[in-house]
Amino acid sequence: MEERLNDLRAQFFEDAKSVADTDALTALRDKYLGRKSGLIAAEKKRVGSLAPQARAEFGRLVNELGDEVESEIARIKEHLAEAAASSALERERIDVTLPGTRPRRGHLHPITLLRQRIEDVFVSMGYSVEDGPEIETSFYNFDALNIPPGHPARDSADTFYVSKDLALRSQTSNVQIHSMQRRQPPLRVIAPGRVFRRDTPDPTHNPMFFQVEGLNVDRNITLADLKGTLQKFVEMMYGANLKTRFRPSYFPFVEPGAEVDFSCYVCDGTGCRVCKGSGWIELGGSGMVHPNVLLSVGIDPEEFSGFAFGLGIDRMAALMYGIDDIRLLYENDVRFLEQFA
Ligand code: PHE
């Protein structure tokens, strides 16, 4: 009788050896401890068919074997759980010696990069950088800039009005007025920023674009100072060999007024695709601050004079980077912007 149980025990331990996961363990348990068809249950059922004097002893041995099987299964279960935990640890282990994953870094917008270069050039000439409001009253947008009521520049077909007296600035020249109100001359400021015009977007126009305003007010400022300043700017931005020229022009807030061009840095003035054959590239508007503008902020035009200019940053960017459609600068298409990283 004992022999039978010893064989069963040996068979169990043999089977247990190959258990490698919880499914196999469940199968093992069912095979031996299953209530109905388990092998141990089958032995228990045999007790009744034994001679009465052998029953107690056999029953005890079967129970012992049952306990032994039970505790071996519990041991295997614990062992499997430990193995699973340590292999999970192994899998999740962090190798601190591996190089890190580099986060994707952004970069500055091409307009911002160029704006910073322009700022550096003027700062090196003693200018300070100022900021002004993008939504502005008629006083700063027009009146103080010598743009009288009825002037076409005030037309709502050109300017975005927010209310009767408030509009998005169509030029950075409003900052001239703020600067002169804030500080007494001598005054040297530049003011880069957004401006807004009711233009239909096309490759060379966008309803929002960037300008940089310049203003220099002091005693004895002359047109020669303006010419020299812009000449220096062109040299520092585009090349020491380049020339500048003035073309007479009209802006209500300057007198005299001029459009500024510089000789093409690609062909050196002989004519090419970039300067459209003319040898010259437009830089922006400029002139001597109109006496009425000085008066509007309480500066005596007999004592002080000044020059002002307004340059288009977008146009400079388009030229510099060879962009043939300035709208690309505002669409925020990452494939385009990534080229300027
Ligand atoms: N504000 C003018 C423009 O937007 C440019 C300019 C600025 C002209 C300062 C003269 C002086 O076209």
Side-chain angles (χ1 to χ4, degrees), residues 145 170-173 176 195 197 209 211-214 250-251 253-254 256-259 284-288 307-311:
L145 287 169
S170 59
Q171 51 189 9
T172 43
S173 300
Q176 290 187 28
V195 299
R197 290 184 195 173
F209 59 100
Q211 285 189 332
V212 55
E213 193 78 7
Y250 174 73
F251 302 96
F253 35 91
V254 288
E259 297 272 359
S286 69
M288 300 306 292
F307 65 70
F309 55 82
L311 317 179

